[in-house]
């Protein structure tokens, strides 16, 4: 499976510009003929405008479905559409949506762990469900940014059977080492591919670090981006899943009766 991460530099509080730019990047990425394209966290608004946030949000995912879903169908490609600031039932959510090759929205996920150090919890409502889906017969899950610091979330997905985890993020440059360490750990401990699409550029005083990466189940880096905007593409060989799971059978050897 070939994956393209669209490491996007977005404009804070400018959804029209960001939608146009995301579409341009999707079009450019199709030159590599990827099976899956991935966008970063809150790419429609940036992370995150305090003023008029509700007015800048998508409305129950309508715009993402209309514009990104249409591109998925046009290009016959799966799109993990990062996440967007999204209003639903009067609340603002940080919502990820996934589209299959027919342009259908097959999965959605609201970020469950809101980043309290930046006050995300004062503006957004946390989600209440996990998210699993299948792309081209590959069992997948998705988490958003701060979620990666909670290994019990990823393990809850993995114990049900997971081959690939998508992490969409707006991770600051100052903690790039944490990001790479955490995504490698999630890949190793759960014996799966981890695809992390991060943003880059600045929003206010925050510099986002890029460094999107595709990690194999052994924790080895298949591809890694720099700090500036780029399209990162790498291929995931599913044979690596069979190899590591046959060599080190951690899921067979778990002792869940001892865990609390």
């Amino acid at each position: 499976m070939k994956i393209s991460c669209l490491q996007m530099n977005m404009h804070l509080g400018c959804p029209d510009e960001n939608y146009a730019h995301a579409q341009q990047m999707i079009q450019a990425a199709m030159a590599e003929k990827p099976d899956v394209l991935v966008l970063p966290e809150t790419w429609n608004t940036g992370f995150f405008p305090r003023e008029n946030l509700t007015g800048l949000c998508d409305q129950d995912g309508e715009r993402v479905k209309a514009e990104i879903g249409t591109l998925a169908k046009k290009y016959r490609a799966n799109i993990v559409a990062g996440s967007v600031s999204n209003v639903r039932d009067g609340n603002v959510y940080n919502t990820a949506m996934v589209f299959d090759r027919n342009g259908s929205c097959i999965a959605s996920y609201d970020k469950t762990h809101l980043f309290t150090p930046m006050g995300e919890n004062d503006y957004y409502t946390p989600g209440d469900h996990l998210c699993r889906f299948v792309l081209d017969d590959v069992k997948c899950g998705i988490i958003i940014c701060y979620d990666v610091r909670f290994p019990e979330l990823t393990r809850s997905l993995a114990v049900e059977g997971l081959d690939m985890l998508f992490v969409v993020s707006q991770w600051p440059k100052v903690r790039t080492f944490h990001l790479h360490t955490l995504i490698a750990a999630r890949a190793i401990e759960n014996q799966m591919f981890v695809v992390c699409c991060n943003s880059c550029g600045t929003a206010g005083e925050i510099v986002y670090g890029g460094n999107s990466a595709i990690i194999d189940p052994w924790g080895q880096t298949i591809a890694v981006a720099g700090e500036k905007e780029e399209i990162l593409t790498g291929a995931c060989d599913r044979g690596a899943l069979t190899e590591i799971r046959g060599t080190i059978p951690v899921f067979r050897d778990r002792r869940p009766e001892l865990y609390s």
Side-chain angles (χ1 to χ4, degrees), residues 49 130 249:
L130 305 188

Side-chain angles (χ1 to χ4, degrees), residues 128-139:
D128 61 4
H129 66 278
L130 305 188
C131 184
R132 302 179 184 87
F133 52 95
V134 177
L135 294 177
D136 297 349
D137 297 323
V138 177
K139 293 178 285 188

Side-chain angles (χ1 to χ4, degrees), residues 182-194 215-217 219:
L182 289 164
I183 62 174
R186 299 295 87 85
I188 293 166
E189 69 197 6
N190 294 296
Q191 299 184 331
M192 63 188 179
F193 293 98
V194 174
I215 309 295
D216 78 7

Side-chain angles (χ1 to χ4, degrees), residues 12-15 19 44-45 49 51-59 85:
L12 185 67
C14 299
Y19 270 95
N44 66 330
T45 61
E51 294 184 10
N52 191 31
L53 175 60
T54 300
L56 296 170
C57 286
D58 200 345
Q59 301 296 315
S85 299

Side-chain angles (χ1 to χ4, degrees), residues 67-249:
E67 298 191 22
I68 306 303
T70 296
L71 291 178
K73 183 177 182 179
K74 175 183 177 179
Y75 293 119
R76 303 293 296 173
N78 303 294
I79 300 180
V80 177
S83 76
V84 293
S85 299
N86 181 45
V87 172
R88 188 177 66 251
D89 298 329
N91 295 316
V92 177
Y93 294 90
N94 187 336
T95 304
M97 281 170 271
V98 180
F99 299 90
D100 66 12
R101 294 180 187 269
N102 296 316
S104 299
C105 183
I106 61 168
S108 65
Y109 168 71
D110 299 319
K111 185 177 183 180
T112 52
H113 299 94
L114 303 180
F115 193 53
T116 57
M118 287 183 65
E120 185 180 13
N121 56 306
D122 294 327
Y123 293 84
Y124 293 78
T125 298
D128 61 4
H129 66 278
L130 305 188
C131 184
R132 302 179 184 87
F133 52 95
V134 177
L135 294 177
D136 297 349
D137 297 323
V138 177
K139 293 178 285 188
C140 302
I142 187 168
I143 62 176
I144 301 174
C145 203
Y146 191 40
D147 284 335
V148 77
R149 289 187 179 271
F150 299 85
E152 58 269 45
L153 172 60
T154 303
R155 177 50 60 94
S156 295
L157 290 166
V159 293
E160 297 295 327
L162 206 65
D163 298 329
M164 183 172 294
L165 178 71
F166 293 95
V167 182
V168 300
S169 58
Q170 291 250 21
W171 200 278
K173 177 180 177 180
V174 69
R175 291 189 291 276
T176 296
F177 172 74
H178 285 192
L179 180 62
H180 280 185
T181 301
L182 289 164
I183 62 174
R186 299 295 87 85
I188 293 166
E189 69 197 6
N190 294 296
Q191 299 184 331
M192 63 188 179
F193 293 98
V194 174
V195 177
C196 176
C197 184
N198 194 33
S199 67
C200 60
T202 60
E205 297 180 354
I206 305 297
V207 179
Y208 291 96
N211 278 270
S212 299
I214 303 172
I215 309 295
D216 78 7
W218 293 96
Q220 300 297 313
T221 301
I222 295 171
V224 63
E227 296 180 356
K228 296 182 179 180
E229 185 171 273
E230 67 175 279
I231 297 169
L232 176 74
T233 300
C236 298
D237 180 359
R238 293 173 68 181
L241 297 168
T242 302
E243 182 183 11
I244 190 169
R245 291 170 183 175
T247 303
I248 308 173

